[in-house]
Amino acid sequence: QVQLVESGGGLVQGGGSLRLSCAASESVRSFSFMGWYRQAPGKQRELVAVMSVTGSINYAGPVKGRFTISRDNAKNTVYLQMNSLTPEDTAVYYCNAGRTLAQYWGQGTQVTVSS
């Protein structure tokens, strides 16, 4: 059973930074892709950033230039560095990992940005 455990969320003032971590119970290289999604109250879950096993990266428009996804293969961990945060970034952030026939989700970590 794959486990993804997020950490690093919290309360931050607008303009501040946070770094989220997602620790996987299996090698991050065993997944076709890993990424981050977020869900704000009353809204659908949306993609934030995704990295393929080959290292190609895609970001959602609203976070381009502010967020950076990265991974540490030795630690089986994926990170999301979030800079210049705004109240619109407030959401529960979920780690996601995928293989051909399965997707896995973490439990989510709350990020709250005050104005």
Side-chain angles (χ1 to χ4, degrees), residues 5-11 17-22 36 80 82 109-111:
V5 180
E6 301 103 331
S7 60
L11 174 64
S17 299
L18 282 175
R19 188 176 80 157
L20 305 183
S21 299
C22 172
W36 293 90
L80 185 68
M82 306 186 294
T109 185
Q110 176 71 46
V111 171

Side-chain angles (χ1 to χ4, degrees), residues 12-115:
V12 64
Q13 279 194 326
S17 299
L18 282 175
R19 188 176 80 157
L20 305 183
S21 299
C22 172
S25 60
E26 299 182 17
S27 170
V28 295
R29 289 176 290 187
S30 71
F31 302 105
S32 300
F33 59 87
M34 292 190 73
W36 293 90
Y37 284 71
R38 68 185 181 186
Q39 187 167 17
K43 295 187 177 182
Q44 288 188 330
R45 191 173 297 188
E46 62 179 6
L47 175 70
V48 175
V50 61
M51 173 185 282
S52 75
V53 66
T54 61
S56 63
I57 293 172
N58 281 296
Y59 295 101
V63 309
K64 278 184 180 177
R66 300 189 298 123
F67 291 11
T68 303
I69 187 171
S70 62
R71 70 181 177 215
D72 185 328
N73 293 336
K75 295 182 178 180
N76 291 330
T77 299
V78 173
Y79 303 98
L80 185 68
Q81 177 67 44
M82 306 186 294
N83 299 328
S84 302
L85 286 161
T86 73
E88 287 68 39
D89 296 314
T90 294
V92 178
Y93 284 70
Y94 296 91
C95 182
N96 172 258
R99 293 176 174 145
T100 304
L101 297 178
Q103 281 201 59
Y104 308 94
W105 294 92
Q107 81 285 355
T109 185
Q110 176 71 46
V111 171
T112 302
V113 185
S114 64
S115 56

